[in-house]
């Protein structure tokens, strides 16, 4: 029987999960089809997935079953009105080979914040956390151990009504799939500060992990990539100067001995789990952390003064991504990422915690034992 060792976990959660989630194992594993020495992010999927349905009153029919296609009606409400949310979580193996999920409760809480904003039902702990633990236990051999590699977990929920009237769906489908993955960015990135297109406004859904946030960013990002950039550094929609997110990541700037990152007060920025982890580590490293509005003008001024040491993005998929170039109007900021000391130490400390190289004194890991 699986034993979950994680600070604060109620044993009842696993009891509920084991009681309510049916398990149908795959008869033949596809794991031999995967080259674990050359993993690409989001291309291969493990043997199993979790699926559950909401009927308007409660979650039911929860099952872990072989990874497969899902049949969806052309009138599915999610396709027409965008009621869809998701999360990104990673699992690693510790030094003894046990799978460990990194900070899943933070993602669980954020998932339900997104659900509330999108008019969707909350997912219970036994289904999200308990179901994920059961899924990872079953697919534990898919958790890679290579440097920079992880098992990427994608919980998501979509509207399920077969009705094209404009209203919140009554029924929903919750799914978790997982994918052995390598680095999202395998080299430093180039950013274009975008002040024409806007990602999010106060009062909108910028703080939610809603699918539409990413869909709306596709066209501007395509245009930026045609110009040789990897991602966009978004700014606010009112004054077009305050930093928000960079691509799918939160952003940090190291100026002197200060670490700057935009605050969340406007509700336009995702409260990143990796962001929160990095903020904790930066303070432990002795930097002065400033979580506040950060203008692009301040970044440019620091660069001109020679005090801009590093800029990097943080996210579950990307972990910590170094920025080597940042272009804003006529300003072309170039940074020598080979000299990034703060980012390198953050990566080292994060990796040590997530893979059990050091004691998890913060209680960030959800270890799954046999």
């Amino acid at each position: 029987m699986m034993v979950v060792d994680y600070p604060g976990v109620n044993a009842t959660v696993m009891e509920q999960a084991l009681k309510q989630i049916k398990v149908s194992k795959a008869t033949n594993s596809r794991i031999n089809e995967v080259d674990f020495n050359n993993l690409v992010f989001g291309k291969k999927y493990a043997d199993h997935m979790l699926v559950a349905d909401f009927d308007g009153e409660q979650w039911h029919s929860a099952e872990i079953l072989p990874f497969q296609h899902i049949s969806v009606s052309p009138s599915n409400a999610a396709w027409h009105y965008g009621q869809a949310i998701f999360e990104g979580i990673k699992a690693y193996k510790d030094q003894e080979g046990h799978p460990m999920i990194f900070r899943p409760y933070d993602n669980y809480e954020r998932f339900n914040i997104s659900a509330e904003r999108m008019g969707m039902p909350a997912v219970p702990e036994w289904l999200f956390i308990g179901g994920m633990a059961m899924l990872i236990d079953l697919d534990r051999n898919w958790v890679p151990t290579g440097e920079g590699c992880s098992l990427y977990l994608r919980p998501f929920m979509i509207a399920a009504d077969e009705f094209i009237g404009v209203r919140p769906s009554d029924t929903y489908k919750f799914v978790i799939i997982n994918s052995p993955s390598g680095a999202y960015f395998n080299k430093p990135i180039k950013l274009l500060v975008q002040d024409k297109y806007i990602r999010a406004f106060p009062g909108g859904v910028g703080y939610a992990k809603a699918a539409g946030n990413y869909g709306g960013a596709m066209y501007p990002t395509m245009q930026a990539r045609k110009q040789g950039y990897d991602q966009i550094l978004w700014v606010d929609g009112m004054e077009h100067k305050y930093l928000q997110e960079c691509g799918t990541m939160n952003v940090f700037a190291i100026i002197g001995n200060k670490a700057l990152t935009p605050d969340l007060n406007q509700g336009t920025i995702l409260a990143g789990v990796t962001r929160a982890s990095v903020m904790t580590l930066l303070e432990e490293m002795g930097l002065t952390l400033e979580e506040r509005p950060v203008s692009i003008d301040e970044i440019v001024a620091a660069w001109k003064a020679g005090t801009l040491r590093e800029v990097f993005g943080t996210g579950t998929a990307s972990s910590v991504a170094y920025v080597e170039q940042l272009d804003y109007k006529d300003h072309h900021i170039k940074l020598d990422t080979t000299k990034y000391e703060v980012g390198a130490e953050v990566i080292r400390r994060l990796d040590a915690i997530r893979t059990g190289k050091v004691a998890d004194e913060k209680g960030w890991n959800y270890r799954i034992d046999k």
Side-chain angles (χ1 to χ4, degrees):
M1 181 65 68
M2 176 172 56
V3 176
V4 175
D5 177 20
Y6 184 80
V9 171
N10 188 334
T12 305
V13 170
M14 287 312 304
E15 292 176 4
Q16 287 180 291
L18 291 165
K19 183 181 296 184
Q20 298 190 58
I21 300 175
K22 178 183 176 182
V23 177
S24 301
K25 294 184 179 181
T27 55
N28 295 300
S29 176
R30 295 175 288 102
I31 197 167
N32 291 331
E33 300 173 9
V34 179
D35 181 359
F36 280 85
N37 293 316
N38 294 286
L39 291 173
V40 178
F41 186 89
K43 291 290 187 180
K44 299 290 184 178
Y45 298 92
D47 287 329
H48 299 91
M49 65 184 194
L50 182 148
V51 179
D53 296 306
F54 185 80
D55 61 10
E57 295 183 359
Q58 63 182 355
W59 289 97
H60 65 91
S61 305
E63 182 177 6
I64 293 176
L65 68 167
F67 183 86
Q68 59 191 264
H69 290 176
I70 296 174
S71 178
V72 179
S73 167
S75 63
N76 175 272
W79 287 5
H80 297 275
Y81 306 116
Q83 265 192 300
I85 61 173
F86 66 94
E87 273 298 329
I89 306 172
K90 281 185 174 180
Y92 302 81
K93 279 187 176 176
D94 66 12
Q95 300 304 292
E96 289 75 45
H98 301 287
M100 297 200 301
I101 312 174
F102 187 70
R103 303 191 72 165
Y105 274 92
D106 296 88
N107 294 94
Y108 167 63
E109 292 173 5
R110 190 174 68 182
F111 188 86
N112 281 332
I113 289 172
S114 297
E116 181 180 28
R117 179 61 180 85
M118 298 300 290
M120 306 170 86
V123 173
E125 186 178 348
W126 66 263
L127 181 56
F128 192 101
I129 297 294
M132 184 180 300
M134 292 175 63
L135 180 64
I136 299 307
D137 185 48
L138 198 58
D139 282 338
R140 62 174 54 237
N141 291 335
W142 287 81
V143 183
T145 57
E147 184 177 353
C149 297
S150 63
L151 187 70
Y152 183 79
L153 304 159
R154 172 55 63 90
F156 64 94
M157 176 166 48
I158 60 172
D161 277 7
E162 297 179 6
F163 177 74
I164 56 174
V166 184
R167 60 162 176 75
S169 182
D170 291 323
T171 61
Y172 296 87
K173 185 174 290 291
F174 174 70
V175 182
I176 304 178
I177 57 177
N178 54 85
S179 170
S181 299
Y184 192 82
F185 294 113
N186 56 15
K187 61 179 182 179
I189 62 174
K190 299 178 181 179
L191 297 179
L192 172 67
V193 179
Q194 173 60 261
D195 58 359
K196 176 182 178 181
Y197 299 100
I198 302 301
R199 176 188 173 275
F201 284 92
V205 297
Y207 68 90
K209 206 161 178 66
N213 287 343
Y214 300 83
M218 296 295 182
Y219 177 76
T221 303
M222 286 171 55
Q223 301 309 305
R225 286 177 176 164
K226 289 179 181 178
Q227 299 175 58
Y229 301 99
D230 298 292
Q231 288 286 353
I232 287 172
L233 176 54
W234 302 97
V235 293
D236 72 290
M238 306 300 289
E239 299 183 60
H240 304 283
K241 69 177 185 178
Y242 289 102
L243 308 188
Q244 291 193 341
E245 296 185 13
C246 55
T248 58
M249 302 175 288
N250 296 115
V251 63
F252 287 82
I254 308 301
I255 298 177
N257 197 48
K258 294 180 180 180
L260 278 56
T261 192
D263 63 67
L264 310 177
N265 296 338
Q266 294 294 313
T268 56
I269 298 173
L270 189 71
V273 176
T274 306
R275 171 185 182 272
S277 306
V278 169
M279 289 170 64
T280 298
L281 296 177
L282 288 170
E283 289 189 305
E284 290 181 352
M285 290 162 55
L287 279 82
T288 300
L289 178 67
E290 295 187 3
E291 185 185 10
R292 59 170 174 79
V294 181
S295 75
I296 185 61
D297 296 329
E298 182 176 3
I299 301 299
V300 172
W303 170 62
K304 288 183 176 179
T307 58
L308 180 64
R309 296 167 56 191
E310 304 177 21
V311 177
F312 52 80
T314 65
T316 298
S318 57
S319 190
V320 176
Y322 294 170
V323 175
E324 67 176 3
Q325 183 175 330
L326 179 63
D327 286 1
Y328 172 62
K329 295 183 176 179
D330 294 330
H331 304 293
H332 304 288
I333 299 173
K334 293 189 177 182
L335 299 166
D336 185 355
T337 59
T338 64
K339 297 180 179 179
Y340 273 28
E341 297 178 350
V342 175
E345 180 62 11
V346 166
I347 292 172
R348 188 195 69 77
R349 294 191 183 203
L350 265 180
D351 177 70
I353 294 171
R354 293 183 298 200
T355 58
K357 295 175 183 176
V358 298
D360 180 21
E361 298 175 352
K362 300 173 178 60
W364 285 350
N365 290 319
Y366 186 151
R367 172 171 161 157
I368 300 174
D369 293 331
K370 274 292 187 181

